Amino acid sequence: MKSTFNEAQINAINHFKGPALVLAGPGSGKTTVITHRTKKLIEEYGVNPSNILVITFTKAAAVQMQDRFTRLMDGKYYPVSFGTFHAVYFKILKYAYNYSADNILREEKKAEYIKEIIGKLRLEIDDINDFVREVIGEISLVKGEMIDLNNYYSKSCPDESFRRLYKMYNDRLVRENVVDFDDMLVMCYDLLVKRPDILKMWQDKYQYILIDEFQDICRVQYEVIKLLAKPQDNIFIVGDDDQSIYRFRGAKPEIMFQFKKDYEDAEQICLSTNYRSTDEIIKSATILVNNNEKRFFKSIKGTGKLGEKVEIATLKNDKEETKYILKLIDNYLKLGYEYNDIAVLYRTNTNPRQLVDKLLEFNLPFRMKDVIPNIYEHWITRDILTYIRIALGSRSRADFLQIINRPKRYIARDAFYEEEVSFWNLKEYYSDKVYVIERIERLKYDLQWLERMSPYEAINYIRHGIGYDEYVLEYAGYRKMRPEELYEILDELQEMSSEYKNYDDWFKHIVEYGEELKKQNAEKVNVKEGIELSTMHSSKGLEYKVVIILGANEGITPYRKAMLKDDIEEERRLFYVAMTRAKERLHILSVRERYGKEAEISRFVREISAIKKQ
């Protein structure tokens, strides 16, 4: 064994038969361990390479793992199976049911089916794309966790609406003779349980199973793996419960604890040396994650690279935070760092909007791991802009239908029977209803005021004078959302509009901003050099010399939806993942106020700071 391996790595690589749990902290060389163990199984233990299965979670990771293994074997081909869970399980279904790629439901088709069903059910949804994404996630959760639909309570809409939607979606799959990715898992499990002969064939095929990123596994994936691994139970899992950050997809650190119960004789090895980060970064990250209760205890250590202290800075507001990030970037460039060495990480893809605006303004190169949604395309913004368009003279039927009952005025669609709306005709339509005529007159009055306002004043008047905030409150209740989520869009929109004195300048900015954002989103794959902008989730598995975490405030991280203790622990793990992407320098930024309101510094910052002061 090469001397470059530490003792824990050697023990993991040397493991031969039976179950093993390898706890692999950040930067601990887990990929190296998996590829070298695979090599050892073949070259020293005499295992037939076609009997080895290596599973990871993404196609890119599987290809990368296979490439690493091929280089390790000096380019010689060995028929080891490298693949994702879905690829492996579909292979089993393909053999049993003669499925082809045509039987797999594409993701865009799935969204199309869901939208059609929403229309048939006549669900009143404004944020249709967000809703479709949330429903797809919930369907995955129900299937992946093998939950009885009658015992599932939706987080995105009334429970009965979700159940009807779920059943209609599955009926559509049956009619079209297609399966989605979640069905692959469930059907594979059912097949192996009901057909011992087929199960035996695949058990004989995959006699040694190695799983990377085991902390991301969901229940049905785990149940299938347990079946395949029998009777030898040569199952070698590598993961870090402290980096389990996909609870919304059914991944839970509890499954790693369950592994220890299911395989009591499993060898447990901890890869505790972090080769990536400086000791100061490791120390701060460890202080944070140690606050979680549901975890395997690990004593993570570095390699003696002390490094600079982690900077924790609190700025006045978002604008000052953005200025500070630009200053940090400038300082690092002067010190000889390159753009590619620097990453700005955040909790959600809406957090860096102001930063993106300034990077575009100053022509600084950047790459986005995630598509940053254009706030001016948000349905709430569309409502606001529609009000302003009507105030400036639009009489389009479509515009009036967009906002007429936001807030409720109890004016029916049938009242708009012409393409060009006339207030006179509208009042004639309701000539027998004085209270409706009063609402129409009030709308005319409000629009006259809006015409003379600045963009900032107009948004404020629409919210509080016209009563749009009340509509948002009502809609949030229907969608089982916290109204703060929607109010924040309005706050941000209002804040961004404050730089413009008139509608013409603001509208010009909206067009230019949208064009630049589309250009960035289209070219993000081709950008070779630039500051990396990424959500914490998308940064997992990556590393950078310099990491700047923005928005370390309550409601952002931990996210406002995290209410239960398990949710908070997951948010803490996510912050831990973000911190441990840093190799040399780490900056954690928070603000004292957002959109003119006091903002509370994240508890995670307080946890790190409190112990560091001792």
Side-chain angles (χ1 to χ4, degrees):
M1 189 63 64
K2 292 181 182 178
S3 59
T4 52
F5 295 121
N6 62 44
E7 184 179 352
Q9 290 175 325
I10 292 170
N11 291 339
I13 292 167
N14 284 341
H15 180 83
F16 181 23
K17 290 190 174 182
L21 167 60
V22 179
L23 297 169
S28 61
K30 64 184 179 62
T31 304
T32 298
V33 164
I34 291 171
T35 51
H36 277 80
R37 179 177 183 252
T38 304
K39 177 183 180 182
K40 195 172 189 75
L41 286 173
I42 296 166
E43 293 186 343
E44 295 190 32
Y45 295 143
V47 175
N48 186 331
S50 65
N51 293 141
I52 301 173
L53 172 63
V54 181
I55 302 180
T56 189
F57 276 79
T58 67
K59 186 176 181 180
V63 169
Q64 183 185 48
M65 187 81 74
Q66 187 166 16
D67 288 345
R68 290 271 295 266
F69 174 71
T70 301
R71 289 198 300 272
L72 185 62
M73 307 304 280
D74 297 323
K76 187 177 178 182
Y77 173 73
Y78 289 85
V80 175
S81 296
F82 290 88
T84 63
F85 278 103
H86 289 106
V88 173
Y89 293 6
F90 186 68
K91 184 177 180 181
I92 294 172
L93 292 176
K94 183 179 177 181
Y95 180 87
Y97 300 127
N98 199 29
Y99 278 159
S100 70
D102 292 337
N103 296 108
I104 302 176
L105 181 69
R106 299 192 310 275
E107 287 302 301
E108 60 269 24
K109 269 289 182 186
K110 179 189 285 190
E112 188 181 303
Y113 287 178
I114 297 294
K115 285 181 180 179
E116 288 177 11
I117 295 167
I118 290 168
K120 288 178 181 176
L121 292 176
R122 297 186 178 180
L123 300 181
E124 295 182 10
I125 305 296
D126 292 322
D127 54 332
I128 187 71
N129 292 326
D130 288 343
F131 180 67
V132 168
R133 186 169 58 250
E134 289 172 23
V135 164
I136 287 173
E138 291 199 70
I139 289 172
S140 293
L141 187 63
V142 170
K143 291 183 177 182
E145 287 299 288
M146 307 165 86
I147 300 170
D148 182 337
L149 184 61
N150 294 319
N151 295 332
Y152 181 75
Y153 301 97
S154 175
K155 297 177 182 176
S156 57
C157 63
D159 298 327
E160 187 53 38
S161 296
F162 176 78
R163 287 168 191 152
R164 289 176 66 194
L165 199 156
Y166 181 96
K167 289 172 182 173
M168 290 173 71
Y169 168 70
N170 276 340
D171 289 344
R172 179 72 182 270
L173 298 188
V174 173
R175 287 200 308 274
E176 302 288 345
N177 192 30
V178 291
V179 294
D180 63 18
F181 284 110
D182 306 301
D183 289 328
M184 283 187 209
L185 309 179
V186 177
M187 290 175 68
C188 191
Y189 174 75
D190 290 340
L191 173 68
L192 297 181
V193 168
K194 293 171 183 174
R195 291 290 300 275
D197 55 327
I198 293 177
L199 174 60
K200 176 70 165 57
M201 184 188 76
W202 291 105
Q203 286 173 337
D204 291 342
K205 167 70 175 169
Y206 298 133
Q207 295 180 24
Y208 290 83
I209 300 174
L210 299 85
I211 304 176
D212 187 23
E213 304 285 9
F214 186 81
Q215 76 279 348
D216 295 338
I217 202 168
C218 72
R219 183 184 167 194
V220 69
Q221 289 169 334
Y222 181 48
E223 294 299 331
V224 172
I225 286 298
K226 284 197 296 183
L227 289 171
L228 289 176
K230 292 181 182 299
Q232 299 101 324
D233 290 334
N234 294 326
I235 178 170
F236 183 89
I237 70 165
V238 182
D240 182 7
D241 55 306
D242 288 335
Q243 296 186 73
S244 178
I245 58 173
Y246 296 112
R247 192 176 192 87
F248 60 92
R249 291 199 314 224
K252 301 173 185 175
E254 293 93 317
I255 295 178
M256 291 192 76
F257 304 138
Q258 186 62 43
F259 183 87
K260 282 292 291 178
K261 294 177 182 176
D262 293 336
Y263 302 96
E264 293 181 354
D265 59 337
E267 182 178 6
Q268 182 170 318
I269 303 163
C270 183
L271 306 182
S272 57
T273 302
N274 181 329
Y275 293 95
R276 175 189 300 151
S277 307
T278 64
D279 289 357
E280 281 291 334
I281 293 169
I282 295 167
K283 176 184 170 187
S284 293
T286 302
I287 285 169
L288 174 73
V289 82
N290 278 346
N291 285 282
N292 275 357
E293 294 178 9
K294 288 185 179 179
R295 62 186 295 266
F296 288 98
F297 174 77
K298 309 173 199 71
S299 181
I300 304 295
K301 58 183 183 295
T303 57
K305 297 178 292 184
L306 186 60
E308 299 288 336
K309 288 190 177 297
V310 173
E311 185 197 26
I312 295 175
T314 304
L315 291 310
K316 180 184 177 183
N317 53 34
D318 291 348
K319 287 184 179 178
E320 293 302 315
E321 183 182 51
T322 297
K323 285 182 187 176
Y324 192 74
I325 292 171
L326 295 175
K327 181 182 173 185
L328 285 174
I329 291 169
D330 186 53
N331 288 343
Y332 279 117
L333 293 174
K334 288 176 180 174
L335 288 171
Y337 285 83
E338 298 180 358
Y339 288 114
N340 288 355
D341 296 328
I342 304 168
V344 181
L345 307 183
Y346 35 85
R347 175 61 180 84
T348 73
N349 60 0
T350 62
N351 296 144
R353 282 191 181 119
Q354 291 196 34
L355 176 61
V356 168
D357 206 9
K358 291 303 176 185
L359 291 173
L360 291 171
E361 183 181 326
F362 294 116
N363 202 27
L364 289 171
F366 64 95
R367 299 174 300 176
M368 298 186 295
K369 289 287 290 178
D370 314 86
V371 172
I372 295 176
N374 185 349
I375 190 171
Y376 299 116
E377 293 176 352
H378 194 282
W379 64 272
I380 283 179
T381 307
R382 287 201 304 270
D383 285 353
I384 298 296
L385 292 176
T386 301
Y387 265 111
I388 293 171
R389 267 200 312 275
I390 295 173
L392 295 176
S394 169
R395 290 299 176 262
S396 160
R397 178 176 182 269
D399 280 350
F400 273 85
L401 288 176
Q402 173 86 14
I403 56 86
I404 195 63
N405 285 309
R406 302 179 182 189
K408 276 199 171 72
R409 296 184 177 91
Y410 300 96
I411 299 176
R413 291 178 67 90
D414 294 344
F416 301 93
Y417 50 85
E418 298 174 309
E419 284 306 312
E420 288 288 311
V421 175
S422 158
F423 277 104
W424 174 264
N425 290 344
L426 198 57
K427 286 190 288 184
E428 279 291 303
Y429 186 89
Y430 283 105
S431 58
D432 59 336
K433 292 185 173 63
V434 176
Y435 70 94
V436 177
I437 292 175
E438 288 175 353
R439 291 188 174 102
I440 294 169
E441 287 291 347
R442 174 68 199 199
L443 176 60
K444 276 186 69 177
Y445 171 82
D446 289 333
L447 293 170
Q448 287 165 0
W449 273 104
L450 284 178
E451 185 183 7
R452 301 192 290 269
M453 293 179 175
S454 69
Y456 183 91
E457 292 168 336
I459 296 170
N460 193 59
Y461 187 77
I462 292 167
R463 295 182 66 178
H464 305 296
I466 294 178
Y468 190 80
D469 272 16
E470 295 170 20
Y471 164 73
V472 163
L473 180 65
E474 184 181 328
Y475 183 76
Y478 174 75
R479 281 279 277 109
K480 297 187 176 180
M481 304 169 74
R482 297 183 68 185
E484 290 81 9
E485 293 177 56
L486 301 180
Y487 290 151
E488 193 166 287
I489 298 292
L490 287 158
D491 289 339
E492 186 175 0
L493 184 67
Q494 202 168 337
E495 179 80 14
M496 291 174 76
S497 74
S498 63
E499 297 180 25
Y500 305 94
K501 301 302 180 187
N502 57 66
Y503 293 130
D504 285 343
D505 290 345
W506 191 43
F507 292 163
K508 183 182 177 184
H509 166 74
I510 290 171
V511 172
E512 291 174 351
Y513 179 82
E515 288 173 352
E516 283 294 331
L517 207 56
K518 281 180 183 175
K519 183 180 172 185
Q520 285 290 332
N521 287 333
E523 296 178 356
K524 67 177 183 175
V525 177
N526 300 318
V527 176
K528 302 301 179 188
E529 182 184 46
I531 302 148
E532 187 93 294
L533 304 186
S534 173
T535 62
M536 296 176 180
H537 279 102
S538 294
S539 73
K540 188 164 171 288
L542 303 175
E543 58 183 39
Y544 311 91
K545 288 183 179 179
V546 178
V547 167
I548 303 165
I549 297 175
L550 66 79
N553 287 89
E554 289 289 306
I556 299 176
T557 177
Y559 195 46
R560 63 176 69 86
K561 287 184 178 179
M563 305 295 288
L564 304 176
K565 185 176 180 181
D566 284 346
D567 299 330
I568 296 296
E569 293 215 344
E570 170 126 324
E571 291 288 315
R572 189 176 284 110
R573 292 193 294 269
L574 185 57
F575 204 89
Y576 173 76
V577 165
M579 292 177 71
T580 54
R581 300 311 94 198
K583 296 166 70 175
E584 297 175 10
R585 298 297 305 271
L586 174 61
H587 302 266
I588 301 173
L589 311 182
S590 55
V591 296
R592 286 189 289 274
E593 65 177 51
R594 298 187 78 228
Y595 314 127
K597 302 169 188 172
E598 185 179 351
E600 185 181 356
I601 295 172
S602 171
R603 71 192 72 185
F604 303 150
V605 173
R606 298 198 302 270
E607 289 168 4
I608 298 165
S609 304
I611 299 181
K612 286 180 75 168
K613 289 176 183 175
Q614 290 179 4

